[in-house]
């Protein structure tokens, strides 16, 4: 009995994950969304501004409704995944830039906040950080609830 229950749950979970992926693909394919290529271009530009090599792969995260962070690092795969909602053209580009800026610096061995702040100031990127922080603190949670495709799929 237990075997069949666990197998059934596993199959049901796989089916749900597949359905969620399809919903995300439809969402990311809508007009006005940033593409994977757009994300990679933003990443390259951030690397250029920081004078750092690109040290990881980037992609859109097809996040569950429980995921509230704007990005995650997956060291085993050498990836950073940016929450798929940030592909929405209504999200300021600086929010994505900040997420990638943070991960580029920390994966380059710069994890002390004082060092990060010094580099951000030195490279003239403070406005990006301030604007991104403002959007994240004032708009992100409401934006996530209103726009998440798994809430509204």
């Amino acid at each position: 009995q237990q075997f069949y229950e666990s197998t059934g749950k596993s199959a049901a979970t796989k089916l749900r994950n597949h359905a969620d992926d399809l919903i995300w693909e439809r969402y990311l394919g809508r007009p006005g969304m940033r593409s994977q290529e757009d994300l990679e271009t933003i990443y390259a530009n951030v690397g250029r501004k920081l004078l750092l090599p690109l040290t990881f792969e980037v992609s859109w995260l097809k996040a569950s409704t429980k995921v509230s962070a704007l990005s995650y690092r997956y060291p085993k795969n050498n990836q950073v995944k940016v929450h798929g909602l940030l592909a929405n053209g209504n999200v300021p580009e600086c929010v994505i830039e900040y997420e990638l800026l943070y991960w580029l610096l920390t994966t380059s061995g710069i994890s002390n906040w004082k060092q990060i702040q010094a580099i951000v100031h030195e490279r003239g990127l403070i406005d990006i950080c301030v604007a991104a922080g403002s959007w994240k603190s004032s708009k992100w949670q409401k934006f996530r609830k209103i726009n998440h495709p798994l809430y509204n799929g």
Side-chain angles (χ1 to χ4, degrees):
Q1 174 86 19
Q2 189 177 20
F3 170 78
Y4 293 110
E5 287 176 5
S6 67
T7 303
K9 286 181 183 177
S10 177
T13 299
K14 287 179 184 178
L15 187 59
R16 181 67 199 162
N17 289 344
H18 179 69
D20 290 353
D21 280 348
L22 292 175
I23 291 168
W24 267 109
E25 288 301 323
R26 189 172 65 226
Y27 178 83
L28 292 169
R30 289 179 9 198
M33 296 299 193
R34 294 179 177 99
S35 66
Q36 175 64 32
E37 185 178 325
D38 294 333
L39 179 60
E40 291 169 2
T41 299
I42 293 168
Y43 177 43
N45 289 338
V46 169
R48 203 169 10 267
K49 290 174 186 178
L50 290 172
L51 306 175
L52 290 173
L54 304 181
T55 56
F56 50 81
E57 301 288 321
V58 293
S59 62
W60 296 117
L61 176 66
K62 298 170 185 170
S64 75
T65 56
K66 296 176 184 175
V67 172
S68 61
L70 278 69
S71 63
Y72 289 89
R73 180 172 173 241
Y74 297 86
K76 286 183 182 178
N77 301 338
N78 196 33
Q79 285 188 324
V80 167
K81 293 191 176 197
V82 177
H83 200 298
L85 287 174
L86 301 187
N88 188 308
N90 293 320
V91 175
E93 190 170 300
C94 66
V95 176
I96 301 167
E97 290 176 310
Y98 174 78
E99 294 298 309
L100 297 173
L101 175 151
Y102 171 79
W103 290 119
L104 256 177
L105 289 171
T106 58
T107 59
S108 298
I110 304 162
S111 57
N112 176 296
W113 275 108
K114 288 186 180 188
Q115 289 177 311
I116 290 172
Q117 288 175 330
I119 291 169
V120 163
H121 281 284
E122 182 182 303
R123 302 283 188 263
L125 303 173
I126 191 66
D127 291 343
I128 288 171
C129 297
V130 170
S134 176
W135 187 89
K136 182 179 176 180
S137 64
S138 67
K139 304 229 183 330
W140 170 238
Q141 291 305 325
K142 183 177 181 181
F143 184 87
R144 188 169 69 91
K145 288 178 182 162
I146 292 170
N147 292 283
H148 201 295
L150 301 183
Y151 284 140
N152 308 298

